[in-house]
C-alpha cells in the first residue's frame, strides 16, 4: 500500500464533499428539473467514487514499491507539453496549438504512421470546429498572430 496515494484520495474525498455541500446552496429554477447544481454534484460524486475505488485498490494491493523513474519523467514531460500548449493558445490560436499538441503527444507516444499523425489532429480540429463553432456558436481564440 502506498500511503501518499491513500492520503491524497482522502483529501480529494474531503474537497469533493465540501464542494458537493457548497452546490446545495445554488439557486433552484422551478422551470427545470436540473439546475446549476446538477453537474457539480455529478462531478463531486464521481470524484468521491473514484477516490474510494483507489483507496480500496491500494489497501488490497500487495506492497509494490518499485520506483518508476521513467514513468515520472514521462508524466513531467507530458505536463510540460500541456503547459506549453496553454501558453501558445493566446498567441497562435486554439486550432493551430491544438493540432501541434496532438501531433506532439502522438510523436511522444512513438506513433510513426504518417496517416495517423495527419488524420488524428485534422479530425479532432474538424470535429471541434463543427461542434463548437457551428453547432454551439462558441468562438474559440484565434490568437494574436492571426488577428
Amino acid at each position: 500500500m502506498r500511503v501518499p496515494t491513500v492520503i491524497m484520495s482522502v483529501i480529494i474525498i474531503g474537497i469533493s464533499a465540501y464542494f458537493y455541500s457548497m452546490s446545495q446552496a445554488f439557486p433552484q429554477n422551478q422551470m427545470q428539473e436540473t439546475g446549476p447544481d446538477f453537474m457539480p454534484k455529478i462531478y463531486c460524486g464521481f470524484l468521491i467514487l473514484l477516490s474510494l475505488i483507489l483507496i480500496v485498490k491500494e489497501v488490497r494491493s500487495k506492497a509494490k514499491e518499485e520506483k518508476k523513474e521513467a514513468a515520472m519523467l514521462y508524466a513531467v514531460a507530458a505536463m510540460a507539453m500541456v503547459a506549453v500548449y496553454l501558453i501558445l493558445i493566446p498567441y497562435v490560436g486554439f486550432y493551430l496549438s491544438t493540432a501541434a499538441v496532438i501531433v506532439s503527444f502522438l510523436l511522444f507516444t512513438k506513433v510513426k504512421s504518417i496517416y495517423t499523425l495527419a488524420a488524428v489532429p485534422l479530425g479532432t480540429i474538424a470535429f471541434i470546429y463543427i461542434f463548437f463553432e457551428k453547432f454551439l456558436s462558441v468562438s474559440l481564440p484565434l490568437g494574436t498572430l492571426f488577428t
Side-chain angles (χ1 to χ4, degrees):
M1 177 175 76
R2 292 177 289 195
V3 176
T5 303
V6 174
I7 292 171
M8 199 63 200
S9 296
V10 171
I11 291 171
I12 290 173
I13 289 171
I15 292 170
S16 298
Y18 172 74
F19 282 114
Y20 188 91
S21 68
M22 293 297 292
S23 68
Q24 300 283 40
F26 288 175
Q28 295 296 322
N29 186 350
Q30 301 301 330
M31 302 298 225
Q32 297 176 333
E33 288 183 34
T34 59
D37 64 334
F38 179 72
M39 286 310 290
K41 286 180 180 177
I42 295 292
Y43 291 149
C44 291
F46 276 129
L47 276 174
I48 291 170
L49 177 67
L50 292 173
S51 295
L52 288 173
I53 290 170
L54 186 60
I55 290 172
V56 169
K57 179 183 168 197
E58 285 298 320
V59 168
R60 295 177 80 190
S61 72
K62 296 178 181 169
K64 294 181 181 178
E65 294 298 326
E66 299 175 4
K67 303 230 178 185
K68 297 187 178 184
E69 293 177 16
M72 181 63 90
L73 291 176
Y74 280 119
V76 170
M79 287 188 286
M81 288 168 48
V82 169
V84 169
Y85 168 64
L86 293 174
I87 291 168
L88 285 178
I89 287 176
Y91 300 107
V92 298
F94 176 80
Y95 295 112
L96 190 59
S97 58
T98 300
V101 80
I102 291 172
V103 169
S104 299
F105 272 112
L106 289 172
L107 291 171
F108 185 67
T109 56
K110 297 179 177 70
V111 172
K112 299 203 189 277
S113 169
I114 298 296
Y115 174 74
T116 303
L117 289 172
V120 171
L122 290 175
T124 303
I125 297 301
F127 172 77
I128 290 171
Y129 176 75
I130 291 168
F131 188 74
F132 286 98
E133 292 272 346
K134 296 299 179 186
F135 185 66
L136 296 176
S137 298
V138 174
S139 62
L140 297 169
L142 296 175
T144 56
L145 244 134
F146 302 107
T147 55

